[in-house]
Amino acid sequence: MIKDITIARPDDWHLHLRDGAMLEGVLPHTAKDFARAIIMPNLIPPVVRGADAKAYRDRILTALPDGMIFEPLMTLYLTEDTQADDVAAAHQSGLVKAVKLYPAGATTNSQSGVQDFDKVTGVLERMAKIGLPLCVHGEVTDHEVDIFDREAVFIDRILTPLRQKIPDLKVVMEHVTTKDGVDYVMENEKNLGATITTHHLIINRNHLLAGGIKPHYYCLPVAKRESHRLALRAAATSGDRRFFLGTDSAPHTDDLKEHACGCAGIFSATNTMSCLAHVFEEEGALDKIEAFASLNGPAYYELPVNQEKMTLVKEDEPVIYPEKFQTGAGPVTLFDPGFDLYWRVV
Ligand code: NCD
Ligand code: ZN
């Protein structure tokens, strides 16, 4: 039995760090294990212009505790008013590594997102030209579309025509949650990658809804039925270079999660690597965890693999993580995989 594994230090290709006291509270949890992360721009107000991304990056680096090394990879929030020249300049300077597309109203703080996709064609064409990836929250927002179908419908209605119109645009389907999403990536070789979260490899919609509603398992895209979870597991543990880790770790304080209209988001930064080692071991694929967490993402983003290493050790006794922790913004509950974890980052 394998008791330890050493991999290149991982990166997180989809992360919410927030701002202010919450940023200070959660950043060390990511910086402890991850060398870099693609930082989501859905603040209030959102990170729209290059200057906003520069200022946010400075706030992140200021919040980073002394002695920790972490590189935030900044993104811009695409709006119908986004200027192609501003995006190109932010990319040219090395500041911005991707642009994020939220369909308006799809998720937390997405009010300023895109409603009319024709209005962003110019920016997307420019991004295709300069090789700047588009990270996509792939869910339609139409009220008549069932929430469990929104990813599949997005692929048909929005993503397929968009990629036909601008085939040179590099797209990352963020947090795929369905077999439809996995199959779409598998069938499309060129300019397409996908992130998968830790929690979607572990929970299905029963965890969220059966036996009482569990607000800390509520996120968007919402967890789907078991067959979809199995498809995600197969994709993540396959080693296929198109799939890589994006935790979508998205902290909200407990009062906002445990609420009549609870916020979407699962906080998993702290125990993600323990959870992933557990999942990959269960699938007999520990040899593929490095591809998923450390190699495939940099390859897609055309960035170097981290030189530093990380070792995970399997303990005989469960590794105990706190159920929740305090931040200056309030308490945040950590993702509970629902089973004991034995793998520890050393
Ligand atoms: C994210 C958040 O809270 O910002 N929530 C979530 O459920 N994943 C937004 C997002 O990525 O959809
Ligand atoms: Zn997210």
Side-chain angles (χ1 to χ4, degrees), residues 211-232:
I213 190 160
K214 319 291 187 321
H216 295 290
Y217 287 150
Y218 176 57
C219 65
L220 287 170
V222 71
K224 308 296 192 297
R225 64 168 66 241
E226 177 65 359
S227 51
H228 293 296
R229 186 186 73 101
L230 295 177
L232 298 174

Side-chain angles (χ1 to χ4, degrees), residues 14 16 40 100 102 175 248:
H14 181 132
H16 299 269
M40 286 296 127
K100 175 76 187 225
Y102 290 103
H175 41 47
D248 197 13

Side-chain angles (χ1 to χ4, degrees), residues 67-107:
M68 287 190 129
I69 299 170
F70 173 72
E71 187 185 356
L73 307 174
M74 306 310 291
T75 63
L76 296 178
Y77 185 121
L78 184 63
T79 73
E80 292 176 7
D81 302 320
T82 295
Q83 299 297 313
D85 284 347
D86 183 61
V87 170
H91 172 249
Q92 174 71 34
S93 74
L95 172 70
V96 156
K97 297 291 187 253
V99 171
K100 175 76 187 225
L101 166 68
Y102 290 103
T107 187

Side-chain angles (χ1 to χ4, degrees), residues 11-14 38 40 100 133-138 151 155 159 163 170-198 200-201 221 231-232 235-248 280 291-301:
D11 304 301
D12 184 349
W13 299 95
H14 181 132
I38 284 277
M40 286 296 127
K100 175 76 187 225
L134 180 72
C135 294
V136 175
H137 183 110
E151 184 169 295
I155 293 168
L159 193 57
R163 293 187 58 255
K170 247 180 137 156
V171 172
V172 184
M173 288 177 71
E174 299 285 70
H175 41 47
V176 284
T177 58
T178 58
K179 182 169 187 309
D180 311 68
V182 167
D183 289 349
Y184 182 72
V185 175
M186 298 296 268
E187 288 156 12
N188 289 270
E189 185 65 29
K190 193 170 165 249
N191 287 334
L192 191 59
T195 59
I196 301 178
T197 76
T198 312
H200 287 113
L201 295 173
L232 298 174
T237 59
S238 68
D240 188 307
R241 62 185 168 72
R242 288 167 291 192
F243 296 99
F244 38 95
L245 173 65
T247 65
D248 197 13
F280 277 70
F292 182 66
S294 314
L295 306 181
N296 296 348
Y300 194 74
Y301 276 90

